[in-house]
Structure formats: C-alpha cells, structure tokens
Amino acid sequence: MSHNHPGRAARIAALKAAAKERILILDGAWGVMIQKRKLDEADYRGDRFKNHPVDMKGNNDILCLTRPDIIADLHDQYYAAGADISETNTFSATTIAQADYEAGEAVYDINFQGAKIAREVADRWTQNEPDKPRFVAGSVGPLNRMLSMSSDVNDPGARTVTFDQVYQAYRQQMIALHDGGVDLFLIETITDTLNCKAAIKAILDLEDEGYEPLPIWISGTITDRSGRTLSGQTVEAFWNSVRHAKPFAIGLNCALGADLMRPHIAELARIADTLVSAYPNAGLPNAMGEYDESPDQTGHQLHEWAKSGLVNILGGCCGTTPDHIRHVADEVRGMTPRQPPERATALRLAGLEPFELA
C-alpha cells in the first residue's frame, strides 16, 4: 500500500515556499464556533452512535462522523477569512482522550474523516485561488493523562499511563490523519514535554516505515505568568527538548492572550532556528469563562509582533472566530516574515531550565 497522497509532495513544497514569502495564517477556535450551533445530543450521536451507552454531547471531534457538514462549513469560513492553514477537527481524537466517551473504536475514523473533510475544502479553495494554496494541519492535541507528572499527590512515581500507551495512541491517530491526506502534523497545546516526545517518536517511526515524511509543527503552552509549561519547563528548555525533531515550526498557543504571550514568543524568536508560530487566545477569560477581546484588538496586537519580526505563522486559539482571523490576516498582509537566526553550534540540553555548553 502506498502512503503517498497524490500531489502532497508538491503541496509541502508550496507550503515551505509560501512560508519564505509571507506570514502564514492559521485558523481560529473551533469550540466557540461549534457552541454557536446550539447542537443537541442527537446531533452528536447521528446514526452511528444512536444507541451509544454514554452521552456524546461536548465530544466535538465526533462531529467529523455525525455532522461533517458543520465541520466542512467551519473550514470554509476560516479559509474565506484568509487562513492559509486550517486544522482538522481532531484535537481529542485519541483512544486515551476518547475513553471519556467510550468512543475509542471510532478513533481511526474520526481522524481519517476529519482529514478528508479538511482536504476537500482546502483543495476547492486552492483550485479557485491557485496563487494562495490552502493547507491542512492534522491536529494532535494534548492528552488528559500526563507522563511527566504524578497523578497522585502522595506518590511522586504514580502514572495513569505508560510511555508506550501514549505512543500507541498517538501512532494510531497519526496513521489515520496521514491516510486521510493532511499536509503536516500539528502537535499542539502541549502541556507535557514527555507526551510530546511520544508524539514526535510516533511521527519519526512512521517515516522509517515508509510513510511519506510530513512537516512537524510543535506548539507548546505556557500555562500562566510563571512562563513555564505545565510540566515545568521554560520556553528555551522546551525548545531544547524538541529541536531534535527538526520541526517545520515551533510556537506557543492557548492559555494566554497576546499581551501575556508576547515575551515568550520574543524569546522563542531569538533562539529557534526554524519558523515561529503563535496563536493566542482572545485575551483571558472573563468571570463567565468567555473571551472578550475583539477582532480588531487581536489583529492590532499581532500586527505589532509581525512588525517586530517575531513570527512566521499567526492564528487564534480559544475565543477567536473567523472575524478575528480576518482581522489578523488583513493586518499582516504584505509584511515580511521573520528570518530564523543562524546560531552557533553548541551542546544544548534541558531539564526544567535550559543548559548550554558552548
């Protein structure tokens, strides 16, 4: 069986070429847009899960199977807003995350169909606007289980999963996304670097097995004002931990709005010898858990990042809509993307802090 998708090698070349010419635009949030549809349990269940033993409502990834029309429409809205790249609706589509809904058996199909829906919409846009090809990123989200941290406050060694279980869960997701035709993998909203390493290993092993190599984009999450990931690393330590994967792009997303994220992106821009991406939330949530930052506020802040030469890819996370993405796309159109720095060769290691031996 060939694991090469027709035209994918040419698309990847086009993606790399586009990244040299302009700041690329990623799509925005999915959760907030799906919420606006006011779907009920029946929408989530469709025919396939009509008799499913547990409630499906809130399992947004399952909509790839039960309401593909809604998912296709969302990709459509984001490409129309100016996105170059849209993500598959597969953020929680692993056996580990889907266990909450007892939907593990549907994982391959969710990812495969999620990729197919996005691919069809992207190809239609590329056909209509050949000078602005559209790309599909396979969304690989964090798990609700962590390898770096204990699940029991009284037992530092306690874990609810093993490295191999995490690796297998990611491997299954990635095979399905790859089969469905994504152009690149986006390991995103990373809270735990060891989970991320399992995902990276799954991708590199697939390449060794003859799967067409796809670019890897890695996006971590700085959880609060401490400037660290949930598993305790600073931005530079995180980069040192994952740079062996030679990612197409490294970045940050979620948890913070643009103002609080900026210093961490500036730090990444200084040290990473690859593309830098950022997709912040629309500010911080208010007391109701909603995001108040307006599209022009978000666009204005990200315009400054582009002007300061900090970024290559911009998009939005929680609370951002197609309107936010349109403002960002309009604000940075025609601006020069960041040039990755040449860094002297050195031994760079990481624990929670970075270590450099020049």
Side-chain angles (χ1 to χ4, degrees):
M1 175 183 171
S2 162
H3 295 296
N4 293 358
H5 249 250
R8 181 152 55 186
R11 283 198 303 272
I12 293 169
L15 173 66
K16 290 178 175 172
K20 286 191 169 66
E21 291 161 18
R22 62 180 193 267
I23 292 170
L24 297 176
I25 303 296
L26 176 71
D27 60 12
W30 282 71
V32 67
M33 298 304 293
I34 289 170
Q35 262 169 348
K36 287 182 178 179
R37 299 291 178 110
K38 306 265 191 285
L39 302 178
D40 57 23
E41 181 67 25
D43 288 302
Y44 283 89
R45 286 179 174 252
D47 280 343
R48 175 164 177 171
F49 302 99
K50 210 172 13 229
N51 303 314
H52 199 66
V54 297
D55 281 358
M56 277 292 189
K57 196 173 174 186
N59 185 6
N60 287 346
D61 294 7
I62 215 79
L63 297 171
C64 291
L65 304 179
T66 56
R67 289 299 305 268
D69 55 315
I70 287 178
I71 303 310
D73 177 61
L74 260 170
H75 286 299
D76 220 12
Q77 286 187 49
Y78 278 122
Y79 286 131
D84 296 284
I85 306 166
S86 187
E87 294 186 52
T88 54
N89 180 45
T90 56
F91 188 76
S92 304
T94 52
T95 44
I96 291 173
Q98 285 294 322
D100 290 354
Y101 296 99
E102 296 177 23
E105 54 80 29
V107 160
Y108 181 92
D109 294 350
I110 295 170
N111 287 287
F112 182 78
Q113 293 302 332
K116 242 178 91 173
I117 295 164
R119 174 85 277 136
E120 282 162 13
V121 180
D123 290 349
R124 190 174 71 244
W125 277 94
T126 301
Q127 212 173 346
N128 294 340
E129 299 180 0
D131 57 327
K132 188 180 159 77
R134 302 310 209 276
F135 306 99
V136 175
S139 168
V140 177
L143 304 176
N144 45 4
R145 308 262 186 277
M146 294 174 73
L147 287 167
S148 298
M149 292 166 79
S150 169
S151 52
D152 177 358
V153 68
N154 297 313
D155 176 5
R159 297 292 182 274
T160 51
V161 279
T162 64
F163 185 88
D164 199 52
Q165 287 169 324
V166 169
Y167 167 87
Q168 290 297 343
Y170 279 135
R171 176 184 166 88
Q172 182 190 16
Q173 178 175 34
M174 284 155 178
I175 288 173
L177 288 169
H178 198 294
D179 289 351
V182 300
D183 299 311
L184 67 161
F185 289 118
L186 172 47
I187 310 170
E188 61 176 332
T189 323
I190 297 158
T191 48
D192 185 329
T193 310
L194 196 51
N195 283 23
C196 177
K197 282 178 179 281
I200 291 169
K201 180 169 170 24
I203 294 170
L204 299 179
D205 286 355
L206 289 178
E207 284 181 26
D208 289 346
E209 292 166 33
Y211 281 78
E212 185 174 15
L214 305 184
I216 305 172
W217 174 2
I218 297 170
S219 186
T221 297
I222 299 298
T223 33
D224 54 32
R225 290 168 196 257
S226 69
R228 293 176 183 270
T229 62
L230 200 57
S231 54
Q233 285 188 308
T234 64
V235 168
E236 187 171 0
F238 175 65
W239 167 239
N240 286 356
S241 296
V242 298
R243 58 189 280 273
H244 68 278
K246 298 191 171 55
F248 163 73
I250 179 85
L252 300 173
N253 74 290
C254 206
L256 303 173
D259 54 342
L260 293 175
M261 188 186 280
R262 191 189 185 286
H264 309 304
I265 288 295
E267 172 77 347
L268 211 43
R270 187 179 63 75
I271 58 176
D273 54 2
T274 186
L275 304 183
V276 163
S277 69
Y279 48 115
N281 293 344
L284 289 176
N286 62 24
M288 308 301 294
E290 285 162 355
Y291 295 84
D292 297 328
E293 198 173 274
S294 68
D296 59 326
Q297 287 173 309
T298 304
H300 188 68
Q301 292 188 76
L302 300 191
H303 172 90
E304 186 273 322
W305 295 12
K307 203 171 69 186
S308 304
L310 301 182
V311 285
N312 303 90
I313 309 174
L314 286 171
C317 207
C318 305
T320 57
T321 64
D323 205 21
H324 286 79
I325 297 306
R326 182 173 289 106
H327 275 77
V328 173
D330 289 347
E331 287 261 8
V332 304
R333 196 167 284 116
M335 295 182 82
T336 311
R338 164 187 165 276
Q339 281 294 111
E342 292 283 325
R343 289 188 79 194
T345 303
L347 172 66
R348 296 186 176 98
L349 306 173
L352 296 183
E353 309 288 334
F355 172 81
E356 184 168 330
L357 188 64

